[in-house]
Amino acid sequence: MDGTYDEIISDNPFFVELKTEYVNLFQHCITQSWVICVPRIGSLSTRVFTVEDFCAHLLVPSDELPETHYSTLTEKQVTVTNKVITLEVTKGLPLQSHILFEETFYTEDFIKYKVWCIETPLEPTANFSDNTISKEYLTSINDCIDLLWTQAAGRQVLDQIEHSVQSFLKSHPTLPVAVAPLRDTVSELYTQCLQIALQNRRLRDKSKSCKQVLENIKLAVECYMQHLLFDALFKPICTCCAYEDSHLNKKIRNMCDIQLRDLDIKKELYHAVPRAKQILSKIDTYNTVLEKVLCVKQALNAINKKDDSNNIVLLTADDLLPVFVFLVIKSGLPNWYSQLTYMKEFRFSSAGKGDADESAFLITTLEAVIEHIQSGALTGSPDPESYYYESNLTEENVNGTRERKNSLTESISTSDTNGKEETLEYIFELIKANHCEQVQAILQKNQKHLKAMQLNENNVLKITMENNLTDDDDDDDSDTEIYHKLCHPLCNCKKCCCKISKNLLKTSPTVTSRDSHGLTALHVASIHGKANIVESLIEMGAEVNATDLNECTPLHYASSRGHQNALLLLLHTGANINKANIDKNTPLHMAVNNGHLNCVKALIYFAEHSRRKIRINCVNESGNTPLHLASKWGYEGIARLLIENGAEPSLQNRYNKTAFDYAHNLKILQVLKSCTPNLYEYIHITSKDVKSLNCKPNSPVGVKLQKLKINENNNVSKAVENLKLIDRILKAISYGDVKLACFYMNINYSAYMDMKNKPETSQQSAPCHPLCECSVCKKNTDSYSSDFDINFTDTNGFTALHYAARYGSDELCKILIHNKANVNCINKKNQTPLHLAALNNKTYVIRLLLDSGANINAIDMAGNTPLHDVCAMGNIGAAKVLLSYNPDLSMLNGADKTALTLAKEKVHLTIIDLIDKYTNGI
Amino acid sequence: MATAPSGTHNFKVVLLGEGCVGKTSLLLRYIEDKFNDKHLTTLQATFLNKRLNINGKRVNLSIWDTAGQEKFHALGPIYYRNSNGAILVYDITDEDSFGKVKNWVKELKKMLGSDIVLTIAGNKIDLEHERTVPLEEAESYANMVGAQHFYTSAKLNQGVEELFLDLTRTMIERYEQNSQTDVNRTSQVVVVDDEAAPPQTSCCSGNKTN
Ligand SMILES: Nc1nc2c(ncn2[C@@H]2O[C@H](COP(=O)(O)OP(=O)(O)OP(=O)(O)O)[C@@H](O)[C@H]2O)c(=O)[nH]1
Ligand SMILES: [Mg+2]
Ligand SMILES: [Zn+2]
Ligand SMILES: [Zn+2]
């Protein structure tokens, strides 16, 4: 991707001639450290070079500005800025030439000289050839396609590559789920694709003449292949990296409130962060390694600072890493590790270059960032405050030099006399430092103090005080000012007493005091997981369900920080397990989001044992259930636990995404699929669930539902229940999970399997007695049949059989047909299951349906028979089967076309052939 | 170790050393012949390329600057793996920075064995009067671990060119020795013949130096 031009200078005819034919000039030049300019190969039309030609290309540095100002040996002035040489000419525009690269030569006796390979000769009159250099830098998949298309003058190379990718996918229906074999397999394909490209005459000739073109072709082939392969390739990569990703996610989630200042990021860089973050978080929208690397590069380039004169000053590695760490943390991407693995391992075109290019550097930087996050070097600072205290206030460095520490230790020793130090802030500090007794002592003392004071005051006063307390902050007095506000420093009228006690309350915090964020001591103890302090605060009567400004309870914090002990203490004291905070997140959401399996377990098991109901499918502000979060961040264990406890993977969030949609690797997907229905949920559907069903307001179902809701509330839940169930069944079928579908439809799948294993005999045998209940008879009578209406339809009129046919599950088709499914049922487009099987080339199912009485000439709304569909799609297998069941070839569809006409239109030669043979055969 | 088409050596070199010893300054001095009194440089300075032609042998050096701060120390291996050479920089006026070099040497030897060419640079010799790292100690240490030792001043442009040139030559030698003695290694060299099949791309075997 650096796409830098390269050629071998010592083979360049201009250079060779200078060196061999003008030895003296050359020797003089290198001893004087003059710069030799060599026009790139091909830029000079081959002719005999004169001594003037050479002199025009030897640059003598000026005395004053040796780096930028030169003169040629032909006495022309030359300036160099930004890798461009500008040559003053007597008339007309100055002549310019790019420096393509600089090469530093050392002779045998270590004389050093510089050669600049330049794009065009430094001669105004030179008749340089128009063989323009392909300086193309490939920056996108479109560039790559463009290159392969134009350089090969046609799309045949693209088509061939696409073809071999397709057949690769066919021959590898499942790709290996381990990085090394996966890479090797794909690497083989790459080799194959590159061979295809280089078999093309034009491409081969061009790449021979210029190394640069060859490099570009390699890159373009790689990109195009990755582009075609991405969907099939990336899931397995994510699966390989599932473990690493979920661990990284847990780390990241737990520090998502990290701030720029926590990472020692320079202030000058703050402004650049939003833009860089925006760029970087798009990395998952690119399919090719090339584009992903470029994305990293752009993000890094966006992090720059400007100096006083508005020049862009870029960064050193020390400045860069922390910013990059911040960007990765904030990007919200669930699979950084997979992205990295893809970029690192699937970059075939630059193999053999080692780590010696810029892409390698960028990828390594990303790797270093991920490693830095993963290593936990940052976990000291997930919450900015704890960072200070936990690192400074350990027992052994209490005698340190920091001011803060000193004031703290001092005040600890004098805590019972110095009221001023006993601010709420100070108590929070003590909690963080885990000084349980001190916290207890101060709070108890204050409480006593307060009680005594209250007793001394009369009732009226109390009421006034409370009233005043509630209309807070109208006069926010600090203790220095309080005396100015009294009638007289020693006055003890009601008003003054009230002011004084109010002030005292502020400076003498109790278990119920709050700081400016609404945090109580119990919140802080829960944040830091100080279980013993949590316990003693609760004993002192702290409010367990106190909420802060974000409506978070201590339980929310204990869950999000993964403090299981504190969490259990809170639960046992009656903390509300389903309390939603300002973003509608419950403690369960918080624990799941941050990957704390221990807390998720604690919440669920506690609910189970105490017979409280934890709302496992509760949605937050964005409509996400805890399962959505577990799926997105790849927490396999948590997802399994949630599923086992009735989490429903097919609920949609506000963006109409289900947990399935968020699963980015196969492991999570498998966990989600293992979902068995939670019957409890069907029974307890409330009207709130109707809303969460996500019906579009003007869709027929939505309208129907609304009507139902007005008329009969009872039926609503039934209807909804049914719709939900149908949705589940059809989904299960589409995943190919026959067992689950049967389960939903109340069909006994294992009975069916048994029956299949010993066919006919048991099926046909008559029961011992009409009422007999022996195992044989039982199997025969209700066996695996169901009372469920097997011909149910979804809103588009699809039945289970439609789905089974579409997805080619012949087993399920058999079961459904056995259970009296209507083989000729139609959906809203009048398509029968046979149509769908034909469209999707499911030959087995087609045969099964036809054997079970499906109408081979059924027409859909467009007048197409299954054979029409097959001909239009070019499904050869399906065509063969259909033709063997004597379809009516003369049927015309809505456009007055026969099936044969359609096949001819689409040039499906094999099918045309098949039909011809069929008609001739008859 | 890799050789690109047409026999150009591609060498990766990392600069390691404590913060503020002058890694970035040395690099900039070498590549752009500039010295900046302030402690700031360019992003490109974290990764720079230089083409050399030493007596007919083409070399493409990519020089990776690294972060010297202690908190990033653990990331070292990610940066130095696959390197052909390392320059370990210390500040002659700072004994701690020399201790750090010793740690790096130990770590590199452990992780990369003798595949990597080590060069130790005692920087800031323009501050000779403030020297705290004894001359003999540094040199005998370098000798003991089989590393070259250079005295440099990024400020006065002393020893910089020599350091890089010597390192490059040693890397070429090392490479040629290895490809003679080690049959495996030669087979790993990827040479693209325009006509022939594209390179084998089992990247690991081609690049890993250990
Ligand atoms: N006197 C003197 N000062 C130098 C020399 N080389 C570097 N410095 C100064 O040392 C300071 C640090 O230089 P840098 O090149 O930024 O150091 P570094 O090793 O890259 O530091 P980090 O990137 O933090 O690891 C700067 O102020 C330089 O001006 C030198 O040879 N002599
Ligand atoms: Mg630096
Ligand atoms: Zn008063
Ligand atoms: Zn590899």
Side-chain angles (χ1 to χ4, degrees), chain B residues 159-172:
Chain B
V160 184
E161 173 104 33
E162 291 84 342
L163 176 138
F164 279 96
L165 182 58
D166 182 85
L167 175 63
T168 310
R169 287 175 55 213
T170 320
M171 287 191 296
I172 298 176

Side-chain angles (χ1 to χ4, degrees), chain A residues 485-488 490-497:
Chain A
K485 290 187 177 164
L486 303 180
C487 316
H488 176 274
L490 295 174
C491 173
N492 60 357
C493 76
K494 282 178 200 168
K495 250 186 145 181
C496 291
C497 276

Side-chain angles (χ1 to χ4, degrees), chain A residues 318, chain B residues 19-25 36-37 39 68 123-124 126 154-155:
Chain A
D318 304 63
Chain B
C20 236
V21 293
K23 297 183 291 297
T24 310
S25 306
N36 197 329
D37 255 321
H39 190 104
N123 190 33
K124 308 201 186 174
D126 50 303
K155 189 169 183 173

Side-chain angles (χ1 to χ4, degrees), chain A residues 617-633:
Chain A
N617 286 319
C618 186
V619 295
N620 67 10
E621 193 70 15
S622 357
N624 286 322
T625 65
L627 188 59
H628 276 100
L629 304 174
S631 170
K632 177 164 183 191
W633 304 122

Side-chain angles (χ1 to χ4, degrees), chain A residues 490-523:
Chain A
L490 295 174
C491 173
N492 60 357
C493 76
K494 282 178 200 168
K495 250 186 145 181
C496 291
C497 276
C498 170
K499 274 185 187 162
I500 291 172
S501 52
K502 203 175 152 191
N503 191 54
L504 267 175
L505 270 181
K506 264 196 186 147
T507 52
S508 313
T510 65
V511 281
T512 51
S513 312
R514 292 157 184 277
D515 75 352
S516 58
H517 300 284
L519 292 172
T520 66
L522 189 59
H523 279 105

